[in-house]
Amino acid sequence: QVRFVESGGGSVQAGDSLKLSCAASGNFIGIHHCMGWFRQAPGKDREGVASIYTDGRTTYYTDSVKGRFTISLDNGDKTMTLQINSLKPEDTATYSCAAGNRFYNGREYYCSLRSVDYPYNGQGTQVTVSS
């Protein structure tokens, strides 16, 4: 069974940066082909912000974070990170990491950003951004 522990959250000012880490335990390489970062703000649905194929080479981002968030994966350490730059108050949320399966669109395999496609999740780390 795969388990995740997130760290790196905090309370920061708008424009600051944070680096979130997700330490994984258990077997997921070759079983779950996609890893992702999700966030949930109070009163809002869980939102996928970034995902990565477990070969570490293909990444996906939701439009609102493109250019500011960078997802990366170290399979040796079983650690996934999310570098967040130019933080905005609307980035305030609990961020969690998750593992899920890949999909095939007729041409290639890809990772989604849909929460329902990632059934294995960590507890999350809080990010609070003040203006």
Side-chain angles (χ1 to χ4, degrees), residues 53 58 60 102-112:
Y53 208 80
T58 309
Y60 308 84
R102 61 184 178 179
F103 293 88
Y104 187 67
N105 62 11
R107 292 181 289 110
E108 60 187 0
Y109 288 101
Y110 68 95
C111 298
S112 85

Side-chain angles (χ1 to χ4, degrees), residues 8-11 18 20 40 42 92-95 124-128:
S11 295
L18 281 174
L20 308 184
Q40 187 165 22
T92 295
T94 299
Y95 286 72
T125 184
Q126 178 66 36
V127 172
T128 302

Side-chain angles (χ1 to χ4, degrees), residues 3-6 94-97 121-126:
R3 296 184 63 187
F4 303 109
V5 177
E6 300 92 342
T94 299
Y95 286 72
S96 60
C97 58
N121 304 280
Q123 293 300 307
T125 184
Q126 178 66 36

Side-chain angles (χ1 to χ4, degrees), residues 12-18 39 64-70 83-92 95 127 129-130:
V12 297
Q13 298 289 319
D16 286 349
S17 298
L18 281 174
R39 66 185 180 187
S64 64
V65 308
K66 285 180 181 177
R68 299 190 298 122
F69 288 24
T70 303
Q83 177 68 43
I84 308 175
N85 298 327
S86 302
L87 276 157
K88 304 176 181 180
E90 52 263 42
D91 293 322
T92 295
Y95 286 72
V127 172
V129 185
S130 56

Side-chain angles (χ1 to χ4, degrees), residues 38-49:
F38 294 80
R39 66 185 180 187
Q40 187 165 22
K44 294 189 177 181
D45 292 334
R46 188 164 173 253
E47 173 191 26
V49 296

